[in-house]
């Protein structure tokens, strides 16, 4: 097995960093507008991606009820609140920043992403978390060959690919489905979403000599415009298969969490 190596650019934004959002941001619960802001802020509570923080004055059809509970959220301490929107009650859904947070965050509130039904940047829905202004997603056609093996079984062998480069993540190698050995894979019910690429259309697992390897491959039939070149193609987790590019076995990167790494 090849030794681990970092083969992609690292994230550059420190925890606690705050920047203005140059987009209109809205949140909806039960068809009611929770907030409508042109003054939102990005706040990095961890390095991977930011959250939105919304001025309290930009709440529309919503009220906050203090839960009298405080936690640290990367940029500083915040007071937890229950969110009420019409008849809807979302407990612990909002965090109002405390005095030790950066001054620009004072008077703003950060919402738990899943507590809202829908988020919008301008008029387009956003999934999972805000898109980082410091991240790029580039899908480039490549003549590099790709062979995927696991437990000594060849799962895919393609003469070319589309390489998807996403800031802070390993390069993903998407191949045409005709070069995948579908007799070796079984479809799973897993669905995931990515703010940069959209909603997956399928996941596949492999039962090999060492046991079941769940959700090692995925595809997007209808990706976002940012990643439209991967439409209809399939990628395998670098972290969980033996991946050869131009005949060279790539080192397996560490997999701290599968969530958001597709």
């Amino acid at each position: 097995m090849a030794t681990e190596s970092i083969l992609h650019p690292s994230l550059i934004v420190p925890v606690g960093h705050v920047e203005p959002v140059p987009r209109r941001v809205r949140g909806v619960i039960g068809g009611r507008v929770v907030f409508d802001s042109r003054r939102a802020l990005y706040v990095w509570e961890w390095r991977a991606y930011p959250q939105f923080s919304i001025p309290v004055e930009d709440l529309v059809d919503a009220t906050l009820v203090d839960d009298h509970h405080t936690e640290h959220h990367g940029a500083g301490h915040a007071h937890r609140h229950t969110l009420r929107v019409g008849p809807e009650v979302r407990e612990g859904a909002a965090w109002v920043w405390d005095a030790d947070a950066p001054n620009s965050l004072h008077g703003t509130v950060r919402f738990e992403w899943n507590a809202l039904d829908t988020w919008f940047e301008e008029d387009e829905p956003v999934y999972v978390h805000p898109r980082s202004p410091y991240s790029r997603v580039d899908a480039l056609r490549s003549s590099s060959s790709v062979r995927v093996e696991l437990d000594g079984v060849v799962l895919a062998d393609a003469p070319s690919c589309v390489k998807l480069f996403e800031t802070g993540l390993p390069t993903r190698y998407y191949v045409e489905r005709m070069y995948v050995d579908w007799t070796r894979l079984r479809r799973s019910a897993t669905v995931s979403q990515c703010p940069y690429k959209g909603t997956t259309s399928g996941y596949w697992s492999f039962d090999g000599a060492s046991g079941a390897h769940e959700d090692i491959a995925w595809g997007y039939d209808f990706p976002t415009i940012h990643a439209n070149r991967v439409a209809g193609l399939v990628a395998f987790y670098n972290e969980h298969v033996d991946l050869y590019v131009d005949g060279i076995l790539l080192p397996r990167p560490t997999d701290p969490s599968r969530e958001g790494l597709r």
Side-chain angles (χ1 to χ4, degrees), residues 25-251:
V25 179
R26 286 173 289 174
V28 175
I29 290 179
R32 298 171 184 263
V33 177
V34 180
F35 58 83
D36 186 345
S37 182
R38 300 176 189 270
R39 303 178 297 161
L41 298 170
Y42 293 117
V43 54
W44 276 262
E45 298 179 12
W46 43 84
R47 294 187 67 204
Y49 54 84
Q51 295 288 344
F52 289 130
S53 202
I54 308 297
V56 173
E57 291 88 347
D58 290 343
L59 299 185
V60 178
D61 195 2
T63 57
L64 301 176
V65 180
D66 196 339
D67 290 344
H68 304 289
H69 174 79
T70 302
E71 290 183 8
H72 195 274
H73 279 264
H77 286 86
H79 299 285
R80 189 181 69 197
H81 287 65
T82 290
L83 174 64
R84 298 181 182 273
V85 182
E88 302 280 351
V89 177
R90 305 288 166 95
E91 296 183 0
W95 297 87
V96 176
W97 295 100
D98 207 345
D100 67 339
N103 288 338
S104 57
L105 293 178
H106 295 174
T108 69
V109 54
R110 197 274 275 173
F111 294 95
E112 296 291 345
W113 192 269
N114 291 333
L116 275 64
D117 295 344
T118 313
W119 292 76
F120 292 91
E121 290 183 357
E122 298 299 337
D123 293 337
E124 295 191 6
V126 186
Y127 305 104
V128 187
H129 59 74
R131 302 182 185 99
S132 172
Y134 299 116
S135 292
R136 287 182 61 99
V137 176
D138 295 306
L140 304 179
R141 294 187 301 272
S142 173
S143 58
S144 290
S145 64
V146 174
R147 187 170 84 255
V148 179
E149 298 183 7
L150 189 55
D151 289 351
V153 176
V154 177
L155 301 179
D157 195 354
S160 61
C161 64
V162 170
K163 296 180 181 180
L164 190 136
F165 303 95
E166 185 170 346
T167 304
L169 298 180
T171 302
R172 300 304 186 192
Y173 300 86
Y174 284 78
V175 300
E176 296 282 356
R177 297 191 182 202
M178 66 181 296
Y179 298 114
V180 176
D181 186 351
W182 295 105
T183 67
R184 300 286 188 172
L185 300 176
R186 57 178 168 83
R187 188 165 187 126
S188 83
T190 300
V191 176
S192 67
Q193 292 182 314
C194 170
Y196 304 101
K197 299 183 289 293
T199 302
T200 55
S201 303
Y203 269 88
W204 295 271
S205 304
F206 169 66
D207 297 315
S210 64
H213 302 272
E214 301 294 335
D215 294 339
I216 61 168
W218 70 92
Y220 294 89
D221 287 347
F222 304 101
T224 66
I225 192 171
H226 314 286
N228 61 354
R229 283 180 173 161
V230 305
L233 308 185
V234 174
F236 289 80
Y237 266 109
N238 312 36
E239 295 86 342
H240 302 287
V241 300
D242 297 326
L243 186 63
Y244 295 81
V245 177
D246 291 327
I248 299 172
L249 176 61
L250 300 187

